[in-house]
Amino acid sequence: MKVFIISLLGVYITYKNMDLFSDSIFLSLVIPLFFCFFVFLALAKILIKLYKEPLYTEPTEGEKAVIRTLFKKGSPLRHRIDD
């Protein structure tokens, strides 16, 4: 939570101090890079929070039957899994 608050605070501060048409390299180049970094950090933190659970489901009965058929002893397809 601390990283998210710091990144939002960084987005706000860099947005307020950014001046793309300034003659200063710091205001026109460095601050926008920091802004992009803080936005990316905030979005990454949100995505990690939303998708922290695994995205796979339980195998269906059909998938289980195929796996059992392929991996049973003596099956000619047992050693061709990587093909």
Side-chain angles (χ1 to χ4, degrees):
M1 187 69 179
K2 290 181 215 176
V3 173
F4 184 67
I5 293 172
I6 290 170
S7 65
L8 287 181
L9 187 63
V11 166
Y12 177 75
I13 290 171
T14 55
Y15 180 75
K16 287 296 184 180
N17 291 321
M18 188 173 18
D19 184 11
L20 296 176
F21 300 107
S22 174
D23 290 335
S24 170
I25 291 178
F26 185 74
L27 292 177
S28 65
L29 185 66
V30 176
I31 295 282
L33 290 175
F34 278 125
F35 176 76
C36 291
F37 171 75
F38 284 125
V39 168
F40 175 75
L41 190 64
L43 288 176
K45 193 66 176 171
I46 290 171
L47 290 175
I48 288 170
K49 191 74 167 173
L50 290 176
Y51 296 110
K52 67 181 178 183
E53 298 294 322
L55 297 177
Y56 58 87
T57 59
E58 294 293 322
T60 63
E61 289 302 317
E63 292 171 336
K64 288 179 185 178
V66 168
I67 291 169
R68 285 187 201 111
T69 304
L70 289 176
F71 284 104
K72 74 178 181 179
K73 211 168 200 174
S75 172
L77 299 174
R78 185 173 186 176
H79 300 291
R80 297 188 61 191
I81 301 293
D82 294 330
D83 289 347

